[in-house]
């Protein structure tokens, strides 16, 4: 009997299975573009979805169900202030279930703005107001939500944006002592998820 050749294929074991559940399509498109750019599929099982829920607490509840059903080890939920109710309940539920909240105030576009505006602690009252400011920035004049090209426009400024977000966040927290995160404005910790994904690159 002929000897069976050795199997030369290597089994790739993911370090962990990660869920990023986003409130909106803008966030989903951004993190999927980042996932592709970082080539994370070679090192880690990252799945990015848009939630079926329209409220932040519902996003957390959906993430809990997905994690239980699909055996997820790391969970991130991405949602905005956007004057939503039940932000406090969403944060508490996420904390109870060891889910990391990636929160932006007033909206996700705060993160985009921090690629351009250094140490700006200006608070915006609505998404429309912030987007108007964003359109003043080079390369973002024709900004439209849910566009796939946002990441490619911004990625060369990623290091600046991360440092800027940290500095602004610390300043806002310090100047609003005792105010819960879900009531802060401005605020974003998108940089924390970006750092996590960067740490998983090949």
């Amino acid at each position: 009997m002929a000897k069976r050749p050795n199997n030369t294929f290597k089994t790739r074991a993911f370090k962990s299975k990660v869920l990023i559940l986003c409130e909106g399509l803008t966030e989903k498109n951004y993190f999927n573009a980042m996932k592709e750019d970082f080539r994370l599929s070679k090192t880690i099982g990252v799945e990015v979805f848009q939630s079926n829920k329209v409220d932040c607490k519902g996003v957390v509840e959906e993430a809990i169900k997905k994690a239980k059903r699909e055996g997820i080890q790391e969970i991130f939920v991405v949602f905005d202030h956007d004057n939503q109710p039940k932000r406090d309940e969403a944060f508490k539920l996420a904390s109870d279930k060891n889910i990391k909240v990636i929160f932006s105030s007033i909206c996700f576009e705060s993160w985009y703005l921090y690629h351009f505006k250094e140490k700006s602690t200006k608070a915006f009252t609505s998404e429309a107001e912030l987007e108007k400011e964003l359109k003043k920035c080079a390369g973002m004049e024709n900004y439209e939500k849910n566009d796939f090209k946002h990441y490619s426009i911004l990625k060369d400024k990623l290091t600046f944006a991360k440092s800027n977000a940290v500095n602004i966040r610390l300043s806002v927290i310090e100047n609003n002592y005792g105010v819960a995160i879900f009531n802060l404005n401005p605020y974003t910790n998108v940089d924390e998820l970006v750092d996590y994904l960067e740490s998983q690159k090949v």
Side-chain angles (χ1 to χ4, degrees):
M1 180 182 292
K3 185 177 180 181
R4 180 177 295 175
N6 292 329
N7 188 346
T8 58
F9 293 100
K10 294 183 179 180
T11 301
R12 181 182 292 127
F14 288 133
K15 294 178 181 178
S16 60
K17 194 171 182 182
V18 178
L19 170 66
I20 302 174
L21 189 63
C22 304
E23 175 190 4
L25 184 57
T26 298
E27 297 91 323
K28 175 191 173 185
N29 289 344
Y30 178 83
F31 286 113
N32 268 326
M34 180 173 286
K35 170 187 169 182
E36 183 177 341
D37 185 42
F38 289 177
R39 300 181 180 180
L40 297 181
S41 60
K42 294 183 177 181
T43 57
I44 187 170
V46 176
E47 296 295 339
V48 185
F49 296 102
Q50 181 184 4
S51 175
N52 294 316
K53 305 297 183 180
V54 295
D55 65 287
C56 54
K57 186 181 179 185
V59 174
V60 179
E61 291 170 341
E62 184 180 347
I64 293 168
K65 291 177 181 177
K66 275 184 174 291
K68 185 175 182 180
R69 185 171 62 245
E70 301 173 21
I72 307 292
Q73 287 83 36
E74 295 279 351
I75 312 168
F76 296 87
V77 289
V78 184
F79 59 81
D80 300 341
H81 181 299
D82 217 13
N83 298 309
Q84 291 192 71
K86 299 184 179 180
R87 297 188 306 277
D88 55 341
E89 296 179 30
F91 266 78
K92 184 179 186 308
L93 182 58
S95 177
D96 290 345
K97 298 296 182 179
N98 199 29
I99 294 172
K100 178 68 175 179
V101 174
I102 303 301
F103 177 70
S104 297
S105 180
I106 189 81
C107 59
F108 187 73
E109 283 79 3
S110 301
W111 167 245
Y112 290 174
L113 192 64
Y114 291 172
H115 289 68
F116 305 95
K117 300 288 186 178
E118 186 173 11
K119 297 182 180 179
S120 173
T121 56
K122 179 179 178 179
F124 295 89
T125 59
S126 68
E127 182 179 339
E129 184 184 2
L130 194 152
E131 286 184 16
K132 184 177 179 180
E133 185 73 15
L134 183 61
K135 287 179 180 179
K136 298 176 184 178
C137 301
M140 305 298 282
E141 295 88 350
N142 299 313
Y143 176 80
E144 292 183 12
K145 288 186 70 67
N146 307 331
D147 199 318
F148 282 95
K149 66 185 178 184
H150 298 155
Y151 176 75
S152 62
I153 294 173
L154 298 169
K155 70 175 187 176
D156 290 341
K157 301 177 179 66
L158 194 57
T159 299
F160 173 81
K162 289 195 299 176
S163 174
N164 200 24
V166 171
N167 290 332
I168 292 170
R169 185 166 65 246
L170 292 177
S171 176
V172 170
I173 290 172
E174 182 179 352
N175 291 322
N176 293 273
Y177 180 77
V179 177
I181 288 173
F182 50 80
N183 285 327
L184 291 175
N185 185 7
Y187 183 95
T188 189
N189 64 332
V190 171
D191 56 288
E192 294 177 355
L193 179 49
V194 173
D195 277 339
Y196 174 82
L197 295 176
E198 283 188 316
S199 73
Q200 307 300 322
K201 289 167 66 174
V202 177

